[in-house]
Structure formats: C-alpha cells, structure tokens
C-alpha cells in the first residue's frame, strides 16, 4: 500500500456540529484527529437552531459558553405540538436559539485550537479496512483543468458523522433498520412576506407553523393531512410550499422570496450497531428521526460527548478493556428512547382529526407535575442515566448535578494548585476524569485515585457555596463527559470504577 496523503489516529467524516464536537473531544483527549467535509464553506441556510439544557451543560463543561454568549431563549417548549414547560434542574432550563452556522463556527474554532485538522471540499468515496488501520479515499472538487483529485487518509479509526444518508454507514455495511416516512412537513425560510406567527395551528386540512426570525425572515412549516411523503427527489419547490400553505391556511405567501426550502418526514431508523470494528457512527448517521423540537441535533451532540474521550483513550493506549464498546452499550439505548419519544410526537403532531381525542387526553396528562417533569427531562436530555452496578449510589450513571463551590484542583502532574470559585461543570474543562471531594479532609478515596493522577484523573477539593442546594454526595468520581462513575462507595468500588473508565493504574 502506498503512503497516504494524511496519516492520523482518528478520521471523522462530516464537519457538521456532531463531527466538530467529536473532533474537539478527541483532540482534548490528546489524540490526533482529522475531519473530512464535502462542503467547501459554511452553511448558507439556517437548519437546526435549538439547543437544549443538556447540550448547554456540555458546552459549559468545555468552557465554550463565554465565547458563545447568552443566546436568545427559544420560547416555550412542546411535545407533539402541545405546550410543554421545559423547566428542569439544569441551570440552562428551557431551549436556546443558536443558528447552526454559529454552532459550527464555535465548535470548529474550538476543535482546531486543540489541534484538530479540518479538510474541506472532499467527498468520501471508499473505505479499505485492514486489521490495524482504515484507509479512506476522498475525491476533491474538480480543479481548473476539470479533473478531480483523490485524497487518501489512513487512520486507526473512522467515525461517520455524515448525516442520515451516511456514506460511511453504507461503505462499512451497517444495518439501518426502521421505516421510511409516511408523512412530512414542508419547510421554507421566506423573506418579504407578512404572515401572523402561528404556533402549531391546526386547521381542518392540516398543520401550520410560522415564526418571524432575525432579519425579517419568516420560517414556514406546513403539513397537509393525508398528503404522501417523499414526492420530491430533492427540496420541494416554493410553488408547492405556497400552494400547500394556501390550501391549509387560506393565506397567500407566493409573493415572498424563498431563501431555503426543504422537507422532513417521520422516517425512523437506527443503526443496529454503533460500532463495527474500526468504524463507528454518531449523530444522524447512527439514527434518523424527525427533527421535532431540535432533539435530533442535541442527541447527536450528546453522542459525540460520550464517544470522544473514549476514542482518544483507545488510540492513546490508556483505555481499559471494553471502554470503546461502552459507546454502543450506552448510546444505542439512549438513542432508541429518543426515537420512540419522537415517534409519539410525530403521531400527535401530524395526525389528522382522528387524533384529537388523544391530543385532548395528552393535554390533561401534561398538567400533572410528574408527567410534565418526566417529559421535560427527556426532551432536554438531562434524564439520561447509563447502567450502573446493583446497589450503586443513585447518581451513578447520571449526569453530575450542577454545584457551585470554592475549589482547589490537584492535577497530580502540576506543582501548582488552581483555586477559586468553580462548579461541578467547570471542573471538567480539561476533559479528564475528576474526583470531587467535598469532605474537607484527607480521605482514603483521595489516596486511592493517586495512581490515575498521571493526566487521566484530577482531584478537586471543594466547599459548596453557602445557600446552594445540599449536595447529594460527599465524594464522587466523574467521567470526562460529566456522568458519575462512582459516589460515596467503598475504596475497592472506586478502584474498580477507575480501572473500568480510565484503564490500569500507573506504576509508581
């Protein structure tokens, strides 16, 4: 095999938000990563623009919220078109509006500062899988002479973050079971049009949604009951959107200027495996769902946060047995749960008059506090809990609660100790594991973690700020993605968690 043009540890295919988030996580974990993208420049359309609470927490964990600024609130949430209060225990309750082009800009800047390389204008055409490497071939756009050039990348692992029509998934032979769309929403961003805002407005013939956005652009979404999905091989024509809008609402938007047109249906598919040897999938490449309420984007970003640190540890040789396989074990059930949630919403949202009784009953149920809190946690992504050993602390597997505290951080490899105000999210900025100790004294747990303080796990000695909610633990081990690996258990249980998530103890 001749030498490739690029040699790297991990190749990520797709420079959308999921691919860029994953690249940043891998680079933060100390591994070399290249991102391959067929686009040559930034997006020219708005696409996904809703960030939920758990995604905002992940951005906080990586110190990106200061750069992002405070995005505008996205207004009230919904479940299948029925209003849903998204209040949770997160400091970022609700939903936040960030155009996808801004999310990509933020994540690309972060990833490249950490050392990730982004190669644009190349389309993946082939994968050659060997026992210890994968060689990818990509074609560049034709040059001035008219001939396309090929780029070859050799990597230890390849991750497909290239969307619902994933080339990586197809080339690697992943099964992608599920069903095609039977109903669809037509969507358009339109300038120079005056229509009233409509929030899931149900008419006898269909569903209408419209909202005025920044710069005077109005987002139009419309579904006509009984209309089949997939009539257009590409984006729908503006004439079709305008005609459907007129039939459903009686209003004429035909004089507007369309800026972006697309449609999305209620197709539902999920890869049977998220990993096949040296090939992995994340985001829409792993699961295809209707993008109701922005859940699709947020689900993919949470895939990336789970996978990145594990893949970095694997290629650096510090991962314990089974660490990389835990990506599928944790994220496949989490994805299945969200897909089931979205399927229920699609039925409520796009069902015709035959669903009115169901919608009425569902509206009554949402007035029950426990039902509301359960659905808000699911939509916001804050209720994800990975499997834990029987008898473990109730927080094990869940995301760490937000706590503000005064802290000193002992990395084990630096002579100085950072101190000052902090939080359980800010303690994760370095992308390493963290032992948070709120006891205020030397403990056996602190001594036990010392063999992993070689750049894999930090120790935070912290005192909760006065007036804060009482912590649910005294000492807890956090994974780099902010999920609790151990809390207030025995030292042997802590050492088992350290070996499971951070590999063998270092020899001293």
């Amino acid at each position: 095999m001749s030498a490739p043009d690029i040699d790297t540890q991990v190749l990520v295919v797709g420079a959308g938000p999921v691919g860029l988030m994953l690249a940043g996580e891998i680079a933060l974990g100390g591994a070399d990563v290249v991102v391959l993208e067929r686009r040559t420049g930034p997006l020219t359309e708005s696409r996904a623009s809703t960030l939920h609470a758990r995604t905002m927490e992940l951005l906080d964990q990586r110190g990106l919220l200061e750069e992002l600024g405070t995005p505008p609130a996205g207004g009230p949430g919904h479940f299948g078109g029925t209003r849903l209060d998204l209040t949770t225990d997160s400091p970022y309750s609700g939903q936040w509006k960030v155009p996808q082009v801004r999310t990509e800009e933020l994540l690309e800047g972060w990833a490249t500062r950490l050392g990730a390389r982004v190669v644009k204008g190349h389309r993946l055409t082939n994968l050659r899988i060997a026992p210890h490497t994968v060689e990818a071939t990509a074609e560049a756009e034709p040059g001035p002479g008219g001939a396309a050039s090929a780029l070859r990348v050799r990597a230890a692992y390849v991750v497909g973050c290239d969307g619902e029509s994933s080339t990586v998934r197809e080339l690697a032979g992943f099964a992608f079971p599920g069903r095609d769309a039977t109903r669809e929403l037509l969507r358009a961003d339109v300038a120079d049009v005056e229509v009233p805002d409509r929030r899931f407005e149900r008419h006898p013939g269909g569903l209408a949604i419209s909202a005025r956005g920044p710069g005077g652009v109005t987002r139009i979404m419309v579904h006509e009951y009984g209309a089949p999905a997939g009539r257009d091989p590409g984006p729908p024509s503006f004439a079709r959107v305008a005609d459907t809008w007129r039939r459903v609402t009686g209003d004429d938007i035909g004089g507007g200027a369309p800026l972006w047109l697309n449609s999305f249906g209620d197709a539902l598919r999920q890869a049977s495996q998220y990993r096949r040897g040296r090939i992995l999938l994340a985001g829409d490449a792993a699961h295809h769902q209707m993008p109701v309420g922005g859940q699709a984007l947020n689900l993919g970003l949470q895939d990336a946060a789970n996978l990145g640190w594990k893949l970095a540890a694997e290629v650096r040789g510090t991962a314990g047995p089974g660490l990389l396989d835990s990506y599928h074990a944790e994220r496949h059930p989490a994805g299945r749960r969200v897909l089931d949630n979205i399927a229920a919403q699609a039925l409520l949202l796009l069902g015709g008059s035959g669903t009115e009784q169901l919608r009425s009953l569902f509206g009554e149920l949402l007035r029950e506090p426990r039902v509301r809190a359960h659905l808000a946690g699911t939509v916001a992504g804050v209720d994800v809990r990975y499997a834990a050993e029987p008898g473990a602390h109730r927080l094990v597997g869940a995301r760490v609660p937000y706590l503000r505290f005064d802290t000193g951080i002992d990395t084990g490899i630096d002579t100085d100790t950072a101190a000052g105000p902090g939080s359980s999210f800010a303690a994760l900025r370095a992308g390493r594991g963290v032992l948070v100790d709120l006891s205020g004294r030397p403990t056996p747990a602190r001594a036990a973690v010392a063999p992993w303080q070689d750049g894999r796990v930090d120790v935070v000695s912290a005192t909760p700020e006065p007036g804060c909610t009482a912590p649910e633990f005294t000492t807890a081990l956090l994974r780099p993605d902010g999920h609790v690996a151990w809390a207030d258990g025995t030292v042997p249980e802590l050492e088992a968690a350290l070996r499971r998530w951070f590999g063998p103890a270092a020899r001293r």
Side-chain angles (χ1 to χ4, degrees):
M1 182 173 66
S2 59
D5 298 300
I6 297 176
D7 211 333
T8 186
Q9 291 176 306
V10 182
L11 172 64
V12 174
V13 180
V18 175
L20 293 169
M21 180 81 174
L22 178 61
E25 291 290 319
I26 292 169
L28 186 64
D32 187 52
V33 57
V34 169
V35 183
L36 195 66
E37 170 57 47
R38 66 185 304 171
R39 285 184 285 137
T40 57
L43 289 169
T44 57
E45 63 269 356
S46 55
R47 295 198 183 181
S49 60
T50 299
L51 300 183
H52 288 304
R54 181 56 185 150
T55 299
M56 294 289 284
E57 291 179 358
L58 293 172
L59 295 178
D60 188 354
Q61 288 173 193
R62 297 301 181 249
L64 293 170
L65 287 187
E66 183 175 344
E67 183 179 348
L68 179 63
T70 303
H78 75 93
F79 191 94
T82 299
R83 187 177 180 129
L84 174 64
D85 176 4
L86 290 175
T87 300
T88 66
D89 66 346
S90 173
Y92 305 109
S93 279
Q95 53 185 352
W96 307 88
K97 302 304 288 185
V98 181
Q100 184 170 327
V101 65
R102 177 65 185 117
T103 302
E104 291 185 5
E105 178 185 56
L106 175 75
L107 294 174
E108 183 173 349
W110 172 62
T112 54
R113 287 194 301 272
L114 290 168
R117 291 173 284 171
V118 180
V119 180
K120 297 186 177 180
H122 287 77
R123 177 175 57 87
L124 180 71
T125 56
N126 189 52
L127 290 175
R128 180 181 175 184
I129 303 170
H132 302 293
T133 59
V134 181
E135 186 175 284
T137 304
E139 288 188 0
E141 294 297 322
S149 60
L151 170 72
R152 286 168 300 135
V153 183
R154 184 170 61 199
Y157 290 90
V158 173
V159 187
C161 299
D162 49 343
E164 60 193 47
S165 300
S166 169
T167 302
V168 172
R169 187 184 66 232
E170 181 179 350
L171 291 174
F174 283 81
F176 201 46
R179 59 172 173 79
D180 293 331
T182 58
R183 295 179 284 248
E184 69 179 355
L185 267 169
L186 305 180
R187 178 165 56 176
D189 286 348
V190 187
D192 304 326
V193 66
E194 295 290 337
V195 296
D197 281 359
R198 291 178 165 90
R199 180 175 172 80
F200 303 107
E201 198 172 87
R202 297 178 70 83
H203 295 259
L207 174 76
I209 305 164
S210 58
R212 189 90 159 181
V217 176
T218 299
R219 161 106 9 130
I220 297 287
M221 288 188 281
V222 61
H223 168 70
E224 188 170 16
Y225 298 142
R231 285 170 46 187
D232 302 298
S237 67
F238 183 54
R240 184 183 167 209
V241 175
D243 288 346
T244 305
W245 184 262
R246 177 181 48 77
R247 287 194 299 273
V248 170
T249 68
D251 291 345
D252 183 8
I253 60 170
L259 304 178
W260 178 53
L261 297 156
N262 87 331
S263 64
F264 57 89
D266 60 349
L268 205 67
R269 293 187 177 276
Q270 185 180 28
S272 298
Q273 303 164 278
Y274 282 13
R275 178 190 178 194
R276 294 193 69 192
R278 295 188 173 275
I279 313 294
L280 300 102
L281 303 175
D284 285 351
H287 38 76
H288 180 195
Q289 61 285 306
M290 190 174 182
V292 177
Q295 284 182 265
L297 170 63
N298 290 269
L299 178 63
L301 291 171
Q302 291 155 34
D303 289 344
N306 183 284
L307 175 58
W309 64 278
K310 297 174 181 178
L311 197 48
E314 184 72 24
V315 299
R316 290 176 58 232
T318 60
L323 178 66
L324 194 53
D325 286 330
S326 73
Y327 168 62
H328 170 88
E330 293 183 335
R331 292 308 298 171
H332 194 275
R336 183 73 256 169
R337 187 163 179 256
V338 172
L339 264 62
D340 290 345
N341 163 303
I342 288 174
Q345 291 198 61
L347 180 62
L348 291 167
L349 189 65
L350 303 182
S353 59
T355 62
E356 292 306 320
Q357 293 86 352
L358 179 61
R359 291 175 58 81
S360 177
L361 174 62
F362 194 79
E364 292 179 19
L365 289 173
L366 277 182
R367 291 195 285 272
E368 293 292 329
R370 289 181 61 185
V371 174
R372 184 215 64 79
H374 173 79
L375 290 178
T378 300
V379 171
V382 299
D383 70 340
V384 173
R385 182 182 297 271
Y386 301 134
E389 295 294 327
H393 190 284
R394 63 173 298 274
L395 286 179
V396 174
R399 83 198 208 289
V400 64
Y402 181 75
L403 298 172
R404 290 206 58 81
F405 42 58
D406 290 323
T407 179
I409 301 177
D410 178 8
T411 68
I413 54 177
D414 299 326
T415 55
D416 295 331
T417 298
S423 73
S424 52
F425 293 171
L428 294 157
R429 296 277 162 86
R432 296 190 281 262
V434 178
L435 184 77
V436 179
D437 185 355
L438 306 178
S439 68
R441 63 182 188 278
T443 63
R446 291 195 59 172
V449 82
W452 284 268
Q453 283 190 270
D454 56 357
R456 289 178 287 172
V457 179
D458 297 337
V459 174
V460 169
S461 301
T463 303
E465 285 188 353
C468 286
T469 303
E472 297 182 64
F473 63 85
T474 301
T475 310
L477 176 67
L478 310 184
R479 304 178 349 176
D481 58 2
H483 282 259
V484 179
W486 170 91
D488 291 344
T490 66
V491 167
E493 289 169 343
L494 170 59
E495 290 173 336
L498 286 162
R499 287 191 296 270
R500 178 182 181 188
W501 299 113
F502 303 103
R507 294 182 179 180
R508 295 278 176 151

